[in-house]
Amino acid sequence: MIQTVEMTDIGNGRPSNQDAYLMKKEKFQGRQCLLAAVCDGMGGLRRGEIASRYIIELLKQWFDEKLPGFVKRKNIDVIRKDLVNLIKKANDNLLLMSEDTDETMGSTLTLLFALGKQFFVLNVGDSRAYWFEQGRKYVTTDHTLAQLEVKAGHMTREQARKDPRRHILIQCVGVTKDIKIDCYRGRMEPGMEFLLCTDGFYGMLEEEEIYHVESGQKEMKQWVEQCFQKVKERGELDNLSCIMIKVP
């Protein structure tokens, strides 16, 4: 059985928690389905909180109401396309909501969907998904100005970790009309692990501190709690959230 740990914290310097997350597991026709997502809201006052929770609520409704019909077709690409369309719909709706209030509201989104032995990750913004397979680590690409500079060869990844432009998003849900949604695909293998997290979680951690946890659910929870404690002690002011998923 797939093991999961989810945790969020308001952090040291925010009046409210603008992060939101979703963790859904269900068996349909004998096939394990999983949907996990983290969102980091942005906007004035409580607008970011509204945006992140709106996206999570849309995903929850989709899982409960639409997914059973898709599973019958046994085609994960159809599911991926429908989720991409759902994210674009959320983007359009948040833009309309911003027009009504004259206040921009948006959110990052990192999503993992698995059906049987297949999975995909969708990403917009600078929340991340890490996944570990046979000692190898994979991670989504941030949609930030600093990452653009890395891609252009103007700075190293290590320099980007300290550059103030690492906080300037070039993509997120709800701010621009046309959004680019990154997609990563793979197969679920025994022992694989996934970590979805907002930038408040990973921002104060060194790359080598984010690793595959060879343990059970109790140890997974302890590792997450220790990471939360570390980043808060190191002065992280942002909200922090993560979901850890281990394949048996």
Side-chain angles (χ1 to χ4, degrees):
M1 183 177 179
I2 290 177
Q3 297 173 316
T4 65
V5 172
E6 311 97 51
M7 198 174 296
T8 188
D9 193 292
I10 194 171
N12 292 328
R14 296 287 187 265
S16 65
N17 193 343
Q18 297 196 338
D19 288 358
Y21 69 84
L22 176 69
M23 180 68 246
K24 298 281 286 183
K25 290 186 292 183
E26 195 68 63
K27 268 199 171 182
F28 296 108
Q29 299 180 330
R31 305 178 82 193
Q32 178 74 58
C33 295
L34 178 149
L35 175 63
V38 294
C39 292
D40 183 356
M42 51 174 283
L45 297 175
R46 300 178 70 89
R47 294 295 170 190
E49 194 174 334
I50 292 170
S52 60
R53 279 154 180 71
Y54 171 71
I55 294 168
I56 290 299
E57 188 54 40
L58 275 184
L59 290 171
K60 181 178 181 296
Q61 185 178 9
W62 176 90
F63 188 95
D64 292 339
E65 297 178 7
K66 292 193 71 176
L67 181 59
F70 281 122
V71 173
K72 291 177 184 177
R73 297 162 71 176
K74 300 180 180 179
N75 189 331
I76 197 168
D77 284 331
V78 172
I79 293 171
R80 177 183 54 80
K81 289 174 184 176
D82 199 64
L83 275 172
V84 166
N85 288 335
L86 183 72
I87 295 167
K88 290 180 177 179
K89 174 186 172 184
N91 185 69
D92 292 341
N93 289 346
L94 285 170
L95 283 169
L96 289 173
M97 291 160 67
S98 295
E99 287 178 8
D100 289 341
T101 60
D102 279 335
E103 280 191 291
T104 298
M105 67 176 91
S107 176
T108 68
L109 169 62
T110 299
L111 173 158
L112 166 68
F113 179 84
L115 176 63
K117 292 190 174 182
Q118 295 178 293
F119 77 86
F120 60 79
V121 171
L122 301 178
N123 183 59
V124 186
D126 66 348
S127 294
R128 290 180 181 174
Y130 295 84
W131 57 104
F132 307 84
E133 181 185 7
Q134 297 180 345
R136 289 173 294 184
K137 181 193 292 187
Y138 302 89
V139 62
T140 50
T141 299
D142 298 339
H143 296 155
T144 63
L145 200 51
Q147 181 58 38
L148 272 185
E149 293 293 288
V150 172
K151 189 176 181 181
H154 298 154
M155 68 170 72
T156 65
R157 286 185 64 197
E158 187 56 36
Q159 288 171 328
R161 288 191 71 245
K162 309 294 183 184
D163 194 283
R165 288 170 290 180
R166 71 189 185 278
H167 297 304
I168 301 175
L169 294 176
I170 58 172
Q171 291 279 338
C172 71
V173 184
V175 175
T176 57
K177 187 172 182 180
D178 297 312
I179 58 171
K180 177 178 177 291
I181 303 165
D182 287 347
C183 180
Y184 308 79
R185 300 180 182 88
R187 282 183 61 81
M188 285 278 203
E189 301 293 347
M192 281 184 73
E193 187 174 283
F194 296 84
L195 175 69
L196 279 62
C197 54
T198 58
D199 65 333
F201 179 85
Y202 69 76
M204 290 285 183
L205 293 174
E206 298 297 329
E207 196 65 27
E208 60 269 19
E209 291 180 292
I210 298 174
Y211 56 84
H212 179 60
V213 181
E214 288 281 3
S215 51
Q217 187 150 358
K218 180 182 176 183
E219 289 78 12
M220 288 164 59
K221 186 172 186 292
Q222 288 174 343
W223 182 84
V224 171
E225 289 172 342
Q226 288 167 2
C227 288
F228 271 49
Q229 185 177 349
K230 278 182 194 174
V231 298
K232 290 169 75 174
E233 287 174 352
R234 292 173 186 178
E236 178 60 68
L237 299 177
D238 203 356
N239 312 136
L240 46 153
S241 302
C242 79
I243 301 174
M244 182 179 276
I245 298 157
K246 184 181 284 291
V247 182

